[in-house]
Structures are given as C-alpha cells and as structure tokens.
Amino acid sequence: MAEKTEINFDVCVFIRTFATRMTEEIKQLKQLLSFPKEITIVTHRNPDGDAIGSSMGLASYLKKLHHSVKVIFPSEYPTSYGFITGIQMAMIFDLDPNAARTAIDKSDVIFCLDFNGLDRVDKLGESIQFSKAKKVLIDHHLEPEPFSDIEFSDTSASSTCELVFKVIDELGDRNKIDPDTGECLFTGLITDTGSFRYGTRPYTYEVAAALKSLGVDDYLLADKIFNSQKEKHLRLLGHCLANRMEIMKDYGVGIMWLTRKDYADFDIQRGDTEGIVNYMLMMENIKVAAFILEQPSIIKISLRSKGDISVQEIAQKYFNGGGHKNASGGGVYASLNDIIDKVKKVMPKYLPKLNV
Ligand code: 5GP
Ligand code: MN
C-alpha cells in the first residue's frame, strides 16, 4: 500500500513538472538567455519601490546566469532605497547620459521593467527604440505600447516584482532566488500594494510566501522601507495636511498641492513626496485624492482612487499621463492654480454629488 502511494506521488510530480505550461514567451526568453549576453535593465523615471526592486532583483538573478548586467534609472532614486543590494552600481541617466547611452548601444538584450511606453523613460526612449538589442517588457500597467520583442504584460499583477518572480519561476529557476534577490522582489510587492492592502490577487500571496520561504525577512524589510524617514519628511507631511489640503465635500475629493516655495522651504528632493497623496484616502467619504506638485518646469499630478473610479482615465484624458485604475499620474505645462482649478472642474464628471 505504502509503495503504491509512493509511485502515485512520483507520477504526480512528473505530470505536474511536464504539464507546466511553457508559454511561447518563456521559450523565447529561455533561448535568448541560453548563453552569456550583454544585458541592460531600464525602468521608469522617478523609480519607486517596484521599479527599483524589480530591476535590482532581475539583475541579481541574471548575474547568476553569468550575463553581464547593467541597470539604468532615468533619474535618481530615493535615498531611502540605498539599502537595496547592488543599487550603488546602477547608472543614472540624468547624472551620466553618455555612460547610459553607451550601455544601451552595447546591449544584446534590454529589459524594460515597470513601464508601458518609451515616453516614461524620457530621452533614453529614443536610444532604446533605435537599438538593435532584443527588447523584453515585464510590466503591469494598462495599455502597453508595442515596442518590445518579448512581452510579459499582466495588468492583474500586483507589481512588476510579482511578474519578475513568475518569469524566473517559469524559467525553472526559483532556486536561484537568494535572500538578497528575494528582498528586492518583496520590496515591490510591499510598496505597490500599500503593504498588501490593495491590488493583490491570490498569486501575490503565493509569491510572498515563496519569497519568505526562500529566506526573505519581511519584518526587517518593512522596517527598512517604512521607518527610515527623516525629520523633514514628517514636517513636510504635517505642512501638507495642515496648510495645503482642500476637501471637495460634495464629491468626496481631496486635493493637496505644493508650491515651488514649499520645495525650497522644506528642501524637498526626489522621492520626498512619495506616499503623501494616500493620506487623503484615510478620510471617510473620500474616494479620489489629487496631489499637485509645482516642480521647476512642469506641474506633476498624482491621482489615487478607491473602488470603481478610474483615475487612469482621468490622468490620460486631462493630465497627459496614465498608470493604473486606482493609482495614476501625469505631467502638464501650466500654472499651479490652473491645474487646481482643472481638477475641481473635472472631478464632478466622474463622481456623484453627495448629500452632505
Ligand atoms: P505617482 O503618482 O506615484 O507618481 O504614479 C502613480 C502611477 O502612475 C505609477 O504607476 C506611474 O507609473 C503612473 N504615472 C505617474 N506619472 C505618470 C506620467 O506622467 N505618465 C504616465 N503615463 N504614467 C504616470
Ligand atoms: Mn509597479
């Protein structure tokens, strides 16, 4: 009896292994990575936890396959991500455009992570477009543009990190994910889901469980990500909540803004405003939050929503941007006041009037 059970178990493992659906894309990627290549990984401007984690995690995996790997960020990363293994080796296009262009020109393969269109990587987009390298897209944003040769696009994924894990796993290399690589990938899971509060699917938790089993210390990681703020960050948050917030009670919309003077007064650097927009959604009845930033040459807007309201549509239609249904952004050349007024005009088109 015991023997029979054992045989059945072996048969099950055999069938499962060989029945694993090997998609056409995975086959192509396996072929592409079958001998050492010059590889460049590029992610979007103003890289966030998912962009950084997926890029550095994939880089660390590809190095294990003996490829020569470079990572390019179009602009600087927030200093709070300095703990990510290997991040100091990443190139920053804004700081050294020639080195970044040379890396692109020498590449056999370019991975494009966490963005869906070449305009999201600024001037690097042109170099990528005209490069002869094979382009591999791994992304979870809506409406990817057709610029890649191999596309892993899944808008139901919580994060690009989740997809990078899936791709590595389907290549049969889950065991090549060491704790450092796993920490990179877990970073995107945590940050793009607001600590597993939104954008998840059952598979997200499977990936989290797998990464934890592979040795990721999620408690320590969350501490590194969230408890590393400087005094000025908390003072800036206080300023935003106390002095720069307006509520459209009739429609359940929160609007916040920062002026160029605020940027100087609070010494705001790249990444310092990340996460602030979400505070408005903590208020009862608030369904949409808009955070408008008066940056040196452009007005940047961050939009967040709850439930069925698509800020992706609003960002695309009115603010020259895009992203996800519940988290989008855009950039417009206009005055701060014009954009605040525009937000006030646009929101009633998307939200019912409340009886308050
Ligand atoms: P955030 O508000 O944090 O800057 O961005 C939220 C989401 O919107 C991110 O997924 C980001 O990729 C997307 N996003 C932000 N700014 C832009 C933009 O200017 N254009 C497009 N297409 N997407 C953006
Ligand atoms: Mn992402």
Side-chain angles (χ1 to χ4, degrees):
M1 201 51 198
E3 204 178 298
K4 197 174 170 204
T5 315
E6 241 174 77
I7 290 166
N8 281 347
F9 177 74
D10 283 350
V11 167
C12 282
V13 171
F14 178 83
I15 291 171
R16 256 193 28 221
T17 309
F18 285 89
T20 302
R21 201 168 57 106
M22 185 84 163
T23 61
E24 202 44 49
E25 287 80 10
I26 288 288
K27 272 189 209 156
Q28 287 175 21
L29 185 59
K30 208 172 180 71
Q31 171 74 22
L32 195 60
L33 300 176
S34 59
F35 59 93
K37 295 268 164 66
E38 289 289 331
I39 297 180
T40 303
I41 298 171
V42 182
T43 189
H44 62 79
R45 193 173 180 78
N46 299 330
D48 55 9
D50 189 31
I52 294 167
S54 57
S55 300
M56 300 313 300
L58 180 66
S60 136
Y61 160 70
L62 291 172
K63 281 179 191 166
K64 288 209 171 79
L65 302 186
H66 308 293
H67 298 289
S68 160
V69 188
K70 297 199 169 63
V71 174
I72 304 177
F73 298 132
S75 61
E76 287 178 83
Y77 58 86
T79 52
S80 57
Y81 288 110
F83 71 88
I84 295 274
T85 308
I87 198 164
Q88 288 77 14
M89 302 301 287
M91 296 178 177
I92 294 159
F93 177 83
D94 277 357
L95 301 185
D96 193 348
N98 289 335
R101 281 201 189 97
T102 306
I104 295 281
D105 290 345
K106 281 190 181 160
S107 300
D108 304 311
V109 183
I110 301 173
F111 279 88
C112 299
L113 300 192
D114 203 37
F115 65 90
N116 55 357
L118 291 176
D119 62 328
R120 299 283 291 131
V121 291
D122 295 347
K123 290 177 195 132
L124 262 180
E126 248 175 52
S127 308
I128 295 172
Q129 191 179 1
F130 296 116
S131 155
K132 295 211 163 54
K134 283 272 178 209
K135 288 145 216 161
V136 183
L137 177 91
I138 308 181
D139 180 50
H140 68 133
H141 291 87
L142 296 163
E143 300 172 11
E145 288 169 13
F147 64 88
S148 60
D149 301 293
I150 304 178
E151 186 182 288
F152 298 95
S153 164
D154 183 351
T155 58
S156 67
S158 69
S159 53
T160 298
C161 281
E162 183 179 311
L163 291 177
V164 168
F165 176 89
K166 190 164 189 270
V167 168
I168 296 175
D169 198 28
E170 286 183 5
L171 287 168
D173 283 340
R174 182 188 287 217
N175 59 357
K176 290 203 169 65
I177 301 177
D178 63 21
D180 278 349
T181 313
E183 187 177 88
C184 294
L185 300 181
F186 211 108
T187 295
L189 290 190
I190 292 186
T191 54
D192 260 23
T193 63
S195 303
F196 300 100
R197 281 177 299 135
Y198 45 78
T200 62
R201 56 180 176 173
Y203 182 66
T204 313
Y205 291 95
E206 286 180 34
V207 175
L211 293 175
K212 191 157 174 154
S213 299
L214 290 163
V216 173
D217 185 334
D218 56 330
Y219 173 78
L220 263 186
L221 178 61
D223 189 53
K224 286 193 259 188
I225 295 172
F226 298 115
N227 299 337
S228 61
Q229 302 225 15
K230 303 230 168 25
E231 179 185 341
K232 73 167 182 178
H233 291 140
L234 270 80
R235 297 208 182 276
L236 173 64
L237 173 64
H239 173 65
C240 289
L241 296 171
N243 310 313
R244 294 283 183 265
M245 186 169 77
E246 199 175 314
I247 303 300
M248 292 172 71
K249 278 216 173 78
D250 287 354
Y251 294 96
V253 176
I255 305 174
M256 211 178 246
W257 63 91
L258 282 172
T259 66
R260 229 165 268 165
K261 187 170 180 307
D262 292 328
Y263 268 77
D265 290 350
F266 286 85
D267 181 29
I268 300 172
Q269 307 292 327
R270 211 176 287 283
D272 287 351
T273 53
E274 213 179 294
I276 292 180
V277 61
N278 297 313
Y279 279 84
M280 287 185 278
L281 291 181
M282 292 168 79
M283 238 176 310
E284 58 176 356
N285 298 327
I286 296 295
K287 293 279 186 281
V288 174
F291 192 21
I292 306 159
L293 304 168
E294 190 182 27
Q295 295 184 348
S297 63
I298 197 169
I299 304 289
K300 178 93 185 68
I301 184 163
S302 279
L303 294 164
R304 300 290 185 270
S305 65
K306 281 186 191 165
D308 237 10
I309 302 151
S310 171
V311 284
Q312 193 265 345
E313 198 182 316
I314 300 176
Q316 196 173 45
K317 200 161 171 188
Y318 297 97
F319 301 105
N320 193 27
H324 312 274
K325 186 175 167 194
N326 296 124
S328 279
V332 197
Y333 297 97
S335 76
L336 178 63
N337 283 332
D338 284 353
I339 298 306
I340 295 174
D341 287 345
K342 194 165 174 181
V343 168
K344 289 180 184 170
K345 274 206 194 95
V346 165
M347 290 304 167
K349 295 183 206 276
Y350 289 85
L351 291 136
K353 196 165 192 306
L354 303 169
N355 290 320
V356 284

